[in-house]
Amino acid sequence: MSQLRTLRCEFEDCDFSGAALFASQHRSSSFLGCTFPGANLFGATFEACRMVGSNFEDARLDSLVVVGGDWSYTRLRKQNLAGLDLEGVKLVGADLFACDLRGTNLRGAIMSEAHLGPAKLAKADLRDADLHGVDLREADLKEAKMTLDQAVLFARCFGIRVE
């Protein structure tokens, strides 16, 4: 299925284990509750797609392109997403545990209740991202960009009272 193109297609609870989806292009398609273990998504593009509840653990996501869309409740544990442009992507409740998000553009992303654990967010752009309910205590935020309101939220994670 390499170089596959989908437009407004719907996939629900599909198993893409080991699928070769590299350089595939998906626009306004839905992958709801799908699993991608061992799938090769190198250079795949997802534009305005709904990926709700899908599992990308152990999938190859190098050079992935994501343009908007809803990636809520996806499982992306330990994935290398460094340098991706995820501006405005909906990541509500996403499992981003130990992900490499260094230099990633998360500006305006909706990340409420996302699980980051010891994620690497150094030099990431978090400005205007919705981080409500996100525990940032274990995340590496060295040189990350955030707004003053977000910095206050970060301080509160450590029990600091800001007045």
Side-chain angles (χ1 to χ4, degrees), residues 97-111:
F97 177 84
C99 279
D100 186 346
L101 295 158
R102 289 178 291 181
T104 300
N105 179 10
L106 291 159
R107 194 168 190 163
I110 304 168
M111 300 175 66

Side-chain angles (χ1 to χ4, degrees), residues 21-79:
L21 289 160
F22 54 88
S24 58
Q25 297 179 3
H26 310 278
R27 188 170 182 204
S28 301
S29 292
S30 296
F31 295 83
L32 307 178
C34 296
T35 57
F36 296 85
N40 183 348
L41 292 153
F42 177 87
T45 299
F46 293 91
E47 183 180 342
C49 290
R50 292 184 64 223
M51 311 303 286
V52 178
S54 289
N55 184 346
F56 294 90
E57 201 165 3
D58 299 322
R60 184 173 177 194
L61 303 179
D62 310 77
S63 301
L64 186 71
V65 177
V66 177
V67 181
D70 187 351
W71 289 64
S72 295
Y73 305 102
T74 53
R75 187 174 174 99
L76 293 156
R77 291 176 80 83
K78 301 180 182 177
Q79 283 290 351

Side-chain angles (χ1 to χ4, degrees), residues 12-19 33-37:
E12 190 168 338
D13 297 321
C14 293
D15 185 350
F16 292 96
S17 295
C34 296
T35 57
F36 296 85

